[in-house]
Amino acid sequence: MKNRIFRGMVISSVLVWILCTAVIAGYFFSVYSDQSLDNMKADAGIIGQGVEKFGEDYLKDMKTGEDLRITWISSDGDVLYDSGADEGEMENHLDRPEVAEAIENGSGSSERMSDTLSEVTRYYAERLDDGTVIRVAVSDKSVVALTLEVLKVGVYILIVAALISVFIAKSISKAIVKPLTEIDLENPDVGSVYPEVKPLVGRISAQNEILHRQIDELRTDVDRKTREADFRKEFTANVSHELKTPLTSISGFAEIMKNGMVKESDVPRFAGRIYDEAQRLITLVGDIIKLSQLDEKEVPAIKERLDLLEICREQAEVLSDAAEKNDVTVKVSGKPVYIKGVRQIVGEMVYNLCDNAVKYNVRGGKVRVETFLSGDGRPGFKVSDTGIGIPDEDIDRVFERFFRVNKSHSKEIGGTGLGLSIVKHAAAFHDAEVSISSRQGEGTTVTVIFPKLS
């Protein structure tokens, strides 16, 4: 770019110099031509007066310079006298433009270029009172010859000017290109640039932002997919382990019964154990299917307007037998608040939270389910219990799949470790927020807040 600017400036300087030289030469030639014509008119007037008074003798006695030629022409076009040639040998001049014009209008002028274009001859003719014509002619260099002559002299000036132009063009082109070469393509807005370049810099900056954003999105997507792959691998391993436990128990009990190693009186007990493990297996598979559907947002249901208070009461009623068995009191309070959601999924959220609150409670404990409107008008509900609580180090992991705070206690009560994971994914399905607070030995509170019902 710098070289192109440099060459352009040098070539432009030379062309401008040549053009200016030609224009100046043409201007001076025009001025000189006008001045020469005025002089010729004055000479013709004086000579004409002399001829009218003294005749041909005046012309013969007149001394003229080499650059002035005088011709005396009759009204018929015959040459009566010529200072530069033998008039007897000259042809008729009636067809000469300046002579014809003078005979008709009183005066006339013309110019004739030499064959080589190096010389131009100017003619001025003036009619006398007796009808004859006095013509004066001056030969001079043409504008082409004058320009070439000026150019010859100007070659030396051109060489000096070219050297100066080279130096100036090099300095200027370097100064022009410097702000462009110093643009930081990563941060093009930093530093000063030409106003004409600012739109380009703005586009580069915008493209950089788009590119960086796409790179960040791609990196985030790769990280997310990597985490998902690791998560799926871990989930598969956990599912395999969780499925293997009840299947092993079922297989073991069935094998004992098959081999006749069980007394007839113990058959109902063994059958009950097989039934319990099968139910645990069914529950586990059901929870896995629910999680998979929520993950892929493939829940076959339509969102509708729901009353949270009504759903909380329904699920508390479903859990009434389990609560009574564990000697836990469940109380539902609040006022009707409405959300837009899928009844089955919202019901499972409330059920899982209440089920955990009952299972992980103490004998004689309490569970409180309360609906409310938040300070900014969003509907929600919370489930509080007076149970065993969650250690601080485990509070951030309780929503992980198959995570159990107390594994031995969870197996005793038959938990799958997926209840809170279902709550978390169901909340995300409804764009709701889930938070948890707990103190070990005092109880736990889980709060779910939904978006405003539009």
Side-chain angles (χ1 to χ4, degrees), residues 4-71:
R4 292 180 63 184
I5 294 175
F6 171 75
R7 288 195 301 269
M9 294 183 68
V10 171
I11 293 172
S12 298
S13 299
V14 173
L15 292 177
V16 168
W17 180 88
I18 294 174
L19 180 62
C20 289
T21 300
V23 170
I24 292 172
Y27 172 76
F28 281 115
F29 181 81
S30 176
V31 172
Y32 178 75
S33 297
D34 293 341
Q35 184 65 42
S36 178
L37 182 61
D38 291 340
N39 292 338
M40 291 169 66
K41 288 180 180 179
D43 290 341
I46 295 172
I47 295 170
Q49 291 177 6
V51 170
E52 286 179 337
K53 188 174 183 179
F54 301 106
E56 186 177 350
D57 293 336
Y58 176 80
L59 295 174
K60 291 179 178 179
D61 294 338
M62 184 179 178
K63 294 181 179 180
T64 60
E66 294 182 358
D67 59 338
L68 182 64
R69 182 178 178 181
I70 302 172
T71 307

Coordinates of all heavy atoms in Angstrom, one line a residue, residues 4-71:
R4 N 2.3 1.8 -3.4 CA 1.3 2.3 -4.4 C 1.1 3.8 -4.2 O 1.0 4.6 -5.1 CB 0.0 1.6 -4.2 CG 0.1 0.1 -4.6 CD -1.2 -0.6 -4.5 NE -2.2 0.0 -5.3 CZ -3.5 -0.4 -5.3 NH1 -3.9 -1.4 -4.5 NH2 -4.4 0.1 -6.1
I5 N 1.0 4.2 -2.9 CA 0.8 5.6 -2.6 C 2.0 6.4 -3.1 O 1.9 7.5 -3.7 CB 0.6 5.9 -1.1 CG1 -0.7 5.2 -0.7 CG2 0.6 7.3 -0.7 CD1 -1.0 5.3 0.8
F6 N 3.2 5.8 -2.8 CA 4.5 6.5 -3.2 C 4.5 6.7 -4.7 O 4.8 7.8 -5.3 CB 5.7 5.7 -2.7 CG 7.0 6.1 -3.3 CD1 7.6 7.3 -2.8 CD2 7.6 5.4 -4.3 CE1 8.8 7.7 -3.2 CE2 8.9 5.8 -4.7 CZ 9.4 7.0 -4.2
R7 N 4.2 5.6 -5.5 CA 4.3 5.7 -7.0 C 3.2 6.7 -7.5 O 3.5 7.4 -8.4 CB 4.1 4.3 -7.6 CG 5.2 3.4 -7.4 CD 5.1 2.2 -8.3 NE 3.9 1.4 -8.1 CZ 3.8 0.4 -7.2 NH1 4.8 0.0 -6.6 NH2 2.6 -0.2 -7.1
G8 N 2.1 6.6 -6.9 CA 1.0 7.5 -7.3 C 1.3 8.9 -7.1 O 1.1 9.8 -8.0
M9 N 2.0 9.3 -6.0 CA 2.3 10.7 -5.7 C 3.4 11.2 -6.7 O 3.3 12.3 -7.2 CB 2.8 10.8 -4.3 CG 1.7 10.6 -3.2 SD 2.2 10.9 -1.6 CE 2.4 12.6 -1.6
V10 N 4.4 10.3 -6.9 CA 5.5 10.7 -7.9 C 4.9 10.9 -9.3 O 5.2 11.9 -9.9 CB 6.6 9.6 -7.8 CG1 7.6 9.9 -8.9 CG2 7.3 9.6 -6.5
I11 N 4.2 9.9 -9.7 CA 3.6 10.0 -11.1 C 2.7 11.2 -11.2 O 2.7 12.0 -12.2 CB 2.8 8.7 -11.5 CG1 3.8 7.6 -11.6 CG2 2.1 8.9 -12.8 CD1 3.2 6.2 -11.7
S12 N 1.9 11.5 -10.2 CA 1.0 12.6 -10.2 C 1.8 13.9 -10.2 O 1.4 14.8 -11.0 CB 0.1 12.6 -8.9 OG -0.7 11.5 -8.9
S13 N 2.9 14.0 -9.5 CA 3.7 15.2 -9.5 C 4.3 15.5 -10.9 O 4.2 16.6 -11.3 CB 4.8 15.0 -8.4 OG 4.3 14.9 -7.1
V14 N 4.8 14.4 -11.5 CA 5.4 14.6 -12.8 C 4.3 15.0 -13.8 O 4.5 15.9 -14.7 CB 6.1 13.3 -13.3 CG1 6.5 13.4 -14.7 CG2 7.2 13.0 -12.4
L15 N 3.2 14.3 -13.8 CA 2.1 14.7 -14.7 C 1.6 16.1 -14.5 O 1.3 16.8 -15.5 CB 0.9 13.7 -14.6 CG 1.2 12.3 -15.1 CD1 0.0 11.4 -14.8 CD2 1.6 12.2 -16.5
V16 N 1.5 16.5 -13.3 CA 1.0 17.9 -13.0 C 2.1 18.9 -13.5 O 1.7 19.9 -14.1 CB 0.8 18.1 -11.5 CG1 0.7 19.5 -11.1 CG2 -0.4 17.3 -11.0
W17 N 3.3 18.5 -13.3 CA 4.4 19.4 -13.8 C 4.3 19.6 -15.3 O 4.4 20.7 -15.9 CB 5.8 18.9 -13.4 CG 6.9 19.8 -13.9 CD1 7.4 20.8 -13.3 CD2 7.6 19.6 -15.2 NE1 8.4 21.4 -14.0 CE2 8.5 20.7 -15.2 CE3 7.5 18.8 -16.2 CZ2 9.4 20.9 -16.3 CZ3 8.3 19.0 -17.3 CH2 9.3 20.0 -17.3
I18 N 4.2 18.5 -16.0 CA 4.1 18.5 -17.5 C 2.8 19.3 -17.9 O 2.9 20.1 -18.8 CB 4.0 17.1 -18.1 CG1 5.4 16.4 -17.8 CG2 3.7 17.1 -19.6 CD1 5.4 14.9 -18.2
L19 N 1.7 19.0 -17.3 CA 0.5 19.7 -17.6 C 0.6 21.2 -17.4 O 0.2 22.1 -18.2 CB -0.7 19.2 -16.8 CG -2.1 19.8 -17.0 CD1 -2.5 19.6 -18.5 CD2 -3.1 19.2 -16.1
C20 N 1.2 21.6 -16.2 CA 1.4 23.0 -15.9 C 2.3 23.7 -16.9 O 2.0 24.8 -17.4 CB 1.9 23.2 -14.5 SG 0.8 22.8 -13.2
T21 N 3.3 23.0 -17.4 CA 4.3 23.5 -18.3 C 3.6 23.8 -19.7 O 3.7 24.8 -20.3 CB 5.4 22.5 -18.5 OG1 6.1 22.3 -17.3 CG2 6.4 23.1 -19.6
A22 N 2.7 22.8 -20.1 CA 2.0 23.0 -21.3 C 1.0 24.1 -21.2 O 0.8 24.9 -22.2 CB 1.3 21.6 -21.7
V23 N 0.3 24.2 -20.1 CA -0.7 25.3 -20.0 C 0.0 26.6 -20.0 O -0.5 27.6 -20.6 CB -1.5 25.0 -18.6 CG1 -2.4 26.3 -18.3 CG2 -2.4 23.8 -18.8
I24 N 1.1 26.7 -19.2 CA 1.8 28.0 -19.2 C 2.3 28.4 -20.6 O 2.2 29.5 -21.0 CB 3.0 27.9 -18.2 CG1 2.4 27.8 -16.8 CG2 3.9 29.1 -18.3 CD1 3.4 27.5 -15.7
A25 N 2.9 27.4 -21.3 CA 3.4 27.7 -22.6 C 2.3 28.1 -23.5 O 2.4 29.1 -24.3 CB 4.1 26.4 -23.2
G26 N 1.1 27.4 -23.4 CA 0.0 27.8 -24.3 C -0.5 29.2 -23.9 O -0.9 30.0 -24.8
Y27 N -0.5 29.5 -22.6 CA -1.0 30.8 -22.2 C -0.1 31.9 -22.8 O -0.6 32.9 -23.3 CB -1.0 30.9 -20.7 CG -1.3 32.3 -20.2 CD1 -2.6 32.8 -20.2 CD2 -0.3 33.1 -19.6 CE1 -2.9 34.1 -19.8 CE2 -0.6 34.3 -19.1 CZ -1.9 34.9 -19.2 OH -2.1 36.1 -18.7
F28 N 1.2 31.8 -22.6 CA 2.1 32.8 -23.1 C 2.1 32.9 -24.6 O 2.2 34.0 -25.2 CB 3.6 32.5 -22.6 CG 3.8 32.8 -21.2 CD1 4.1 31.9 -20.2 CD2 3.8 34.2 -20.8 CE1 4.3 32.3 -18.9 CE2 4.0 34.6 -19.5 CZ 4.3 33.6 -18.6
F29 N 1.9 31.7 -25.3 CA 1.8 31.7 -26.7 C 0.6 32.5 -27.2 O 0.6 33.3 -28.1 CB 1.7 30.3 -27.3 CG 1.6 30.2 -28.8 CD1 2.7 30.3 -29.5 CD2 0.4 30.1 -29.4 CE1 2.7 30.3 -30.9 CE2 0.3 30.0 -30.8 CZ 1.4 30.1 -31.6
S30 N -0.6 32.4 -26.4 CA -1.8 33.1 -26.7 C -1.6 34.6 -26.5 O -2.0 35.4 -27.4 CB -3.0 32.6 -25.9 OG -4.1 33.3 -26.1
V31 N -1.0 34.9 -25.4 CA -0.7 36.4 -25.1 C 0.2 36.9 -26.2 O 0.0 38.1 -26.7 CB -0.1 36.5 -23.7 CG1 0.3 38.0 -23.5 CG2 -1.1 36.1 -22.7
Y32 N 1.3 36.2 -26.5 CA 2.2 36.6 -27.6 C 1.5 36.8 -28.9 O 1.8 37.7 -29.6 CB 3.4 35.6 -27.6 CG 4.4 36.0 -28.7 CD1 5.3 37.0 -28.5 CD2 4.4 35.3 -29.9 CE1 6.2 37.4 -29.5 CE2 5.3 35.7 -30.9 CZ 6.2 36.7 -30.7 OH 7.1 37.0 -31.6
S33 N 0.6 35.9 -29.3 CA -0.1 35.9 -30.5 C -0.9 37.2 -30.6 O -1.0 37.9 -31.6 CB -1.0 34.7 -30.7 OG -0.2 33.5 -30.8
D34 N -1.6 37.5 -29.5 CA -2.5 38.7 -29.5 C -1.6 39.9 -29.6 O -2.0 40.9 -30.4 CB -3.3 38.8 -28.2 CG -4.3 37.6 -28.1 OD1 -4.7 37.1 -29.2 OD2 -4.8 37.3 -27.0
Q35 N -0.5 40.0 -28.9 CA 0.4 41.1 -29.0 C 1.0 41.2 -30.4 O 1.1 42.4 -30.9 CB 1.5 40.9 -27.9 CG 2.5 42.1 -27.9 CD 1.7 43.4 -27.4 OE1 0.9 43.3 -26.5 NE2 2.0 44.5 -28.0
S36 N 1.4 40.1 -31.0 CA 1.9 40.1 -32.3 C 0.9 40.7 -33.3 O 1.3 41.4 -34.2 CB 2.4 38.7 -32.7 OG 2.9 38.7 -34.0
L37 N -0.4 40.2 -33.2 CA -1.4 40.7 -34.1 C -1.6 42.2 -34.0 O -1.8 42.9 -35.0 CB -2.7 40.0 -33.8 CG -3.9 40.3 -34.7 CD1 -3.5 40.0 -36.2 CD2 -5.1 39.5 -34.3
D38 N -1.6 42.7 -32.8 CA -1.7 44.2 -32.6 C -0.5 44.9 -33.2 O -0.7 46.0 -33.9 CB -1.7 44.5 -31.1 CG -3.0 44.0 -30.4 OD1 -4.0 43.8 -31.1 OD2 -3.0 43.8 -29.1
N39 N 0.7 44.4 -33.1 CA 1.8 45.0 -33.7 C 1.7 45.0 -35.3 O 2.1 46.0 -36.0 CB 3.1 44.3 -33.3 CG 3.4 44.5 -31.9 OD1 3.0 45.5 -31.2 ND2 4.2 43.6 -31.3
M40 N 1.2 43.8 -35.8 CA 1.0 43.7 -37.2 C 0.0 44.7 -37.7 O 0.1 45.3 -38.8 CB 0.6 42.3 -37.6 CG 1.7 41.3 -37.4 SD 1.1 39.6 -37.5 CE 0.7 39.5 -39.2
K41 N -1.1 44.9 -37.0 CA -2.1 45.9 -37.3 C -1.5 47.3 -37.4 O -1.7 48.1 -38.3 CB -3.2 45.9 -36.3 CG -4.1 44.7 -36.5 CD -5.3 44.8 -35.4 CE -6.2 43.5 -35.5 NZ -7.3 43.6 -34.5
A42 N -0.7 47.6 -36.4 CA 0.0 48.9 -36.4 C 0.9 49.1 -37.6 O 0.9 50.2 -38.2 CB 0.7 49.1 -35.1
D43 N 1.7 48.0 -37.9 CA 2.7 48.1 -39.0 C 1.9 48.3 -40.3 O 2.3 49.1 -41.2 CB 3.5 46.8 -39.0 CG 4.5 46.8 -37.9 OD1 4.8 47.8 -37.3 OD2 5.0 45.7 -37.5
A44 N 0.8 47.5 -40.5 CA 0.0 47.6 -41.7 C -0.6 49.0 -41.9 O -0.6 49.5 -43.0 CB -1.1 46.5 -41.7
G45 N -1.0 49.6 -40.8 CA -1.6 50.9 -40.9 C -0.6 51.9 -41.4 O -0.8 52.8 -42.3
I46 N 0.6 51.8 -40.8 CA 1.7 52.8 -41.1 C 2.2 52.6 -42.6 O 2.3 53.5 -43.4 CB 2.9 52.7 -40.2 CG1 2.4 53.1 -38.8 CG2 4.1 53.5 -40.6 CD1 3.5 52.8 -37.7
I47 N 2.4 51.3 -42.9 CA 2.8 51.0 -44.3 C 1.8 51.4 -45.3 O 2.1 51.9 -46.4 CB 3.2 49.5 -44.4 CG1 4.4 49.1 -43.5 CG2 3.4 49.1 -45.9 CD1 4.6 47.7 -43.4
G48 N 0.5 51.2 -45.0 CA -0.6 51.5 -45.9 C -0.6 53.0 -46.2 O -0.8 53.5 -47.3
Q49 N -0.4 53.8 -45.2 CA -0.4 55.3 -45.3 C 0.8 55.7 -46.2 O 0.7 56.6 -47.1 CB -0.3 56.0 -44.0 CG -1.5 55.8 -43.1 CD -1.4 56.5 -41.8 OE1 -0.3 57.1 -41.5 NE2 -2.4 56.3 -40.9
G50 N 2.0 55.0 -46.0 CA 3.1 55.3 -46.8 C 2.9 55.0 -48.3 O 3.4 55.7 -49.2
V51 N 2.3 53.8 -48.5 CA 2.1 53.4 -49.9 C 1.1 54.3 -50.6 O 1.3 54.7 -51.8 CB 1.6 51.9 -49.9 CG1 1.1 51.6 -51.3 CG2 2.6 51.0 -49.5
E52 N 0.0 54.7 -49.9 CA -0.9 55.6 -50.5 C -0.3 57.0 -50.8 O -0.7 57.6 -51.8 CB -2.1 55.8 -49.5 CG -3.0 54.6 -49.4 CD -4.2 54.8 -48.4 OE1 -4.0 55.7 -47.5 OE2 -5.2 54.1 -48.6
K53 N 0.7 57.4 -50.1 CA 1.3 58.7 -50.3 C 2.5 58.6 -51.3 O 2.6 59.5 -52.2 CB 1.8 59.2 -49.0 CG 2.2 60.7 -49.1 CD 2.6 61.2 -47.7 CE 3.0 62.7 -47.8 NZ 3.3 63.3 -46.4
F54 N 3.3 57.6 -51.2 CA 4.5 57.5 -52.0 C 4.5 56.4 -53.0 O 5.4 56.3 -53.8 CB 5.8 57.4 -51.1 CG 5.9 58.6 -50.1 CD1 5.6 58.4 -48.8 CD2 6.3 59.8 -50.6 CE1 5.7 59.4 -47.9 CE2 6.4 60.9 -49.7 CZ 6.1 60.7 -48.3
G55 N 3.6 55.5 -52.9 CA 3.5 54.4 -53.9 C 4.6 53.4 -53.6 O 5.0 53.2 -52.4
E56 N 5.0 52.6 -54.7 CA 5.9 51.5 -54.5 C 7.2 51.9 -54.0 O 7.9 51.1 -53.4 CB 6.0 50.7 -55.9 CG 6.8 49.5 -55.8 CD 6.8 48.7 -57.1 OE1 6.1 49.1 -58.0 OE2 7.6 47.7 -57.1
D57 N 7.6 53.2 -54.3 CA 9.0 53.6 -53.9 C 9.1 53.6 -52.4 O 10.2 53.3 -51.8 CB 9.2 55.1 -54.4 CG 9.3 55.1 -55.9 OD1 9.6 54.1 -56.5 OD2 9.0 56.2 -56.4
Y58 N 8.0 53.8 -51.7 CA 8.0 53.7 -50.2 C 8.4 52.3 -49.8 O 9.2 52.2 -48.8 CB 6.7 54.2 -49.7 CG 6.6 54.1 -48.2 CD1 7.1 55.0 -47.3 CD2 6.0 53.0 -47.6 CE1 7.1 54.9 -46.0 CE2 5.9 52.8 -46.2 CZ 6.4 53.8 -45.4 OH 6.4 53.7 -44.0
L59 N 7.8 51.4 -50.4 CA 8.1 50.0 -50.0 C 9.5 49.6 -50.3 O 10.2 48.9 -49.6 CB 7.1 49.0 -50.8 CG 5.6 49.2 -50.4 CD1 4.8 48.3 -51.3 CD2 5.4 48.8 -48.9
K60 N 10.0 50.0 -51.5 CA 11.4 49.6 -51.9 C 12.4 50.3 -51.0 O 13.4 49.7 -50.7 CB 11.6 50.0 -53.3 CG 10.8 49.2 -54.3 CD 11.1 49.6 -55.7 CE 10.4 48.8 -56.8 NZ 10.6 49.2 -58.2
D61 N 12.1 51.6 -50.5 CA 13.1 52.3 -49.7 C 12.9 51.8 -48.2 O 13.8 52.1 -47.4 CB 12.8 53.8 -49.8 CG 13.1 54.3 -51.2 OD1 13.9 53.6 -51.9 OD2 12.6 55.4 -51.5
M62 N 11.9 51.1 -47.9 CA 11.6 50.7 -46.5 C 12.5 49.5 -46.1 O 12.7 48.6 -46.8 CB 10.2 50.3 -46.3 CG 9.8 50.0 -44.9 SD 8.0 49.5 -44.8 CE 7.9 49.1 -43.1
K63 N 13.1 49.7 -44.9 CA 14.0 48.6 -44.4 C 13.2 47.8 -43.4 O 12.6 48.3 -42.4 CB 15.2 49.2 -43.7 CG 16.1 49.9 -44.7 CD 17.4 50.4 -43.9 CE 18.3 51.1 -44.9 NZ 19.5 51.7 -44.3
T64 N 13.1 46.5 -43.5 CA 12.3 45.6 -42.6 C 13.3 44.5 -42.1 O 14.3 44.1 -42.7 CB 11.2 44.9 -43.3 OG1 11.7 44.1 -44.4 CG2 10.2 46.0 -43.9
G65 N 12.9 44.0 -40.9 CA 13.7 42.9 -40.3 C 13.4 41.6 -41.0 O 12.4 41.5 -41.8
E66 N 14.2 40.6 -40.6 CA 14.0 39.3 -41.2 C 12.7 38.6 -40.8 O 12.2 37.8 -41.5 CB 15.2 38.4 -40.8 CG 16.5 38.8 -41.4 CD 17.6 37.9 -41.0 OE1 17.3 36.9 -40.3 OE2 18.7 38.0 -41.5
D67 N 12.1 39.1 -39.7 CA 10.9 38.4 -39.2 C 9.6 39.1 -39.7 O 8.5 38.6 -39.4 CB 10.9 38.5 -37.6 CG 10.9 39.9 -37.1 OD1 11.4 40.8 -37.9 OD2 10.5 40.2 -36.0
L68 N 9.7 40.2 -40.5 CA 8.6 40.8 -41.1 C 8.6 40.8 -42.6 O 9.6 41.2 -43.2 CB 8.5 42.3 -40.6 CG 7.3 43.1 -41.0 CD1 6.0 42.5 -40.5 CD2 7.5 44.6 -40.6
R69 N 7.5 40.3 -43.2 CA 7.4 40.2 -44.6 C 6.2 41.1 -45.1 O 5.1 41.0 -44.5 CB 7.2 38.8 -45.1 CG 7.1 38.6 -46.6 CD 7.0 37.1 -46.9 NE 6.9 36.9 -48.3 CZ 6.7 35.7 -48.9 NH1 6.7 34.6 -48.1 NH2 6.6 35.6 -50.2
I70 N 6.4 41.9 -46.1 CA 5.4 42.9 -46.6 C 5.0 42.5 -48.0 O 5.9 42.3 -48.9 CB 5.9 44.3 -46.5 CG1 6.3 44.7 -45.1 CG2 4.8 45.3 -47.0 CD1 7.0 46.0 -45.0
T71 N 3.7 42.4 -48.3 CA 3.2 42.1 -49.6 C 2.1 43.1 -50.0 O 1.2 43.4 -49.2 CB 2.6 40.7 -49.7 OG1 3.6 39.7 -49.2 CG2 2.3 40.3 -51.1

